[in-house]
Amino acid sequence: SQQGEEDPQALSIQEGENATMNCSYKTSINNLQWYRQNSGRGLVHLILIRSNEREKHSGRLRVTLDTSKKSSSLLITASRAADTASYFCATDKDYKLSFGAGTTVTVRA
Amino acid sequence: EPEVTQTPSHQVTQMGQEVILRCVPISNHLYFYWYRQILGQKVEFLVSFYNNEISEKSEIFDDQFSVERPDGSNFTLKIRSTKLEDSAMYFCASREGGNQPQHFGDGTRLSIL
């Protein structure tokens, strides 16, 4: 299976702090995508990083990709209470996504 | 910003009944998908659809499942004879082209009684 696996499973931080979560996968990929899911809601696309890219930024989000280690990280800087959600990495091979179990992030006010 | 829309948001059905879940993908997107998420579990790929035919399907997508794009805007998932284990959140997604992000709808929560 190519599934991404996130680490840690859960993360609790104070508002204003940074949150970092990691994703590991097993096979070659076209790209890796990060999604956010608020409880009981849909998946919101955050950022896509292609296999030939090493780092991407979008607002307060920073994603890295190390294809030699088959790993990626998502950094959320200056977290806010509204960032409380589950975050999933999804590996894209042959244009279907394989999701990990996610990291649940709680941002305390 | 254009978005994927799904209806209904919640569907309650008796076991053995047929159910149709509806999706309107983003208008200029060419690739369409269904995924499901059983409560507390990972999001799982069901099927991909391109150029009016199935591109790929998972082991979950057995003969009880079918997809259709009946017109230029809708994309449907049909489950012919629902089972208790079909209870899940079903997500539709669409993608514009190769190596582009997949955009998801808010999902349909399917409850089989």
Side-chain angles (χ1 to χ4, degrees):
Chain A
S1 168
Q2 69 181 77
Q3 288 178 334
E5 295 296 340
E6 294 90 345
D7 170 62
Q9 290 184 322
L11 188 57
S12 180
I13 55 174
Q14 201 73 32
E15 204 166 24
E17 293 180 339
N18 296 341
T20 300
M21 57 212 87
N22 303 296
C23 171
S24 60
Y25 58 93
K26 296 179 182 175
T27 68
S28 62
I29 58 174
N30 297 320
N31 61 68
L32 186 145
Q33 302 179 39
W34 284 91
Y35 288 85
R36 185 185 73 229
Q37 184 180 38
N38 292 87
S39 181
R41 302 296 303 276
L43 294 156
V44 175
H45 183 264
L46 296 177
I47 200 162
L48 178 152
I49 186 164
R50 294 183 172 82
S51 60
N52 62 351
E53 296 175 314
R54 292 297 165 258
E55 187 171 314
K56 282 190 86 167
H57 297 256
S58 176
R60 293 183 296 112
L61 305 180
R62 173 178 170 258
V63 167
T64 64
L65 179 66
D66 186 334
T67 52
S68 66
K69 295 181 179 177
K70 293 187 170 57
S71 68
S72 175
S73 68
L74 171 66
L75 168 68
I76 305 172
T77 60
S79 63
R80 306 167 182 168
D83 294 329
T84 294
S86 292
Y87 293 81
F88 297 88
C89 71
T91 51
D92 185 335
K93 182 177 174 65
D94 301 327
Y95 305 118
K96 67 179 183 188
L97 296 179
S98 292
F99 284 83
T103 294
T104 301
V105 175
T106 303
V107 182
R108 305 186 306 273
Chain B
E1 185 173 327
E3 57 183 27
V4 176
T5 58
Q6 290 187 243
T7 56
S9 56
H10 192 187
Q11 174 81 46
V12 181
T13 302
Q14 291 287 333
M15 186 172 60
Q17 296 295 305
E18 175 183 286
V19 66
I20 297 176
L21 310 183
R22 292 182 166 80
C23 170
V24 178
I26 296 173
S27 61
N28 64 332
H29 285 192
L30 301 177
Y31 300 82
F32 314 114
Y33 303 85
W34 285 99
Y35 293 82
R36 79 172 185 191
Q37 185 180 32
I38 295 171
L39 188 63
Q41 297 186 23
K42 297 178 183 181
V43 176
E44 302 172 288
F45 167 79
L46 291 179
V47 66
S48 59
F49 191 87
Y50 170 71
N51 201 25
N52 280 322
E53 61 183 23
I54 290 174
S55 308
E56 189 168 352
K57 57 185 180 180
S58 72
E59 292 175 354
I60 303 166
F61 195 89
D62 62 21
D63 292 344
Q64 294 300 312
F65 290 85
S66 62
V67 289
E68 195 176 35
R69 188 155 163 83
D71 52 44
S73 59
N74 291 284
F75 180 52
T76 62
L77 173 69
K78 181 192 292 186
I79 309 175
R80 286 190 188 80
S81 178
T82 49
K83 299 180 275 239
L84 292 176
E85 54 264 38
D86 293 328
S87 294
M89 183 76 94
Y90 287 79
F91 293 106
C92 173
S94 68
R95 174 170 64 88
E96 182 175 357
N99 237 354
Q100 296 290 316
Q102 289 189 27
H103 294 276
F104 283 73
D106 280 343
T108 293
R109 182 170 299 283
L110 178 63
S111 300
I112 307 300
L113 305 179

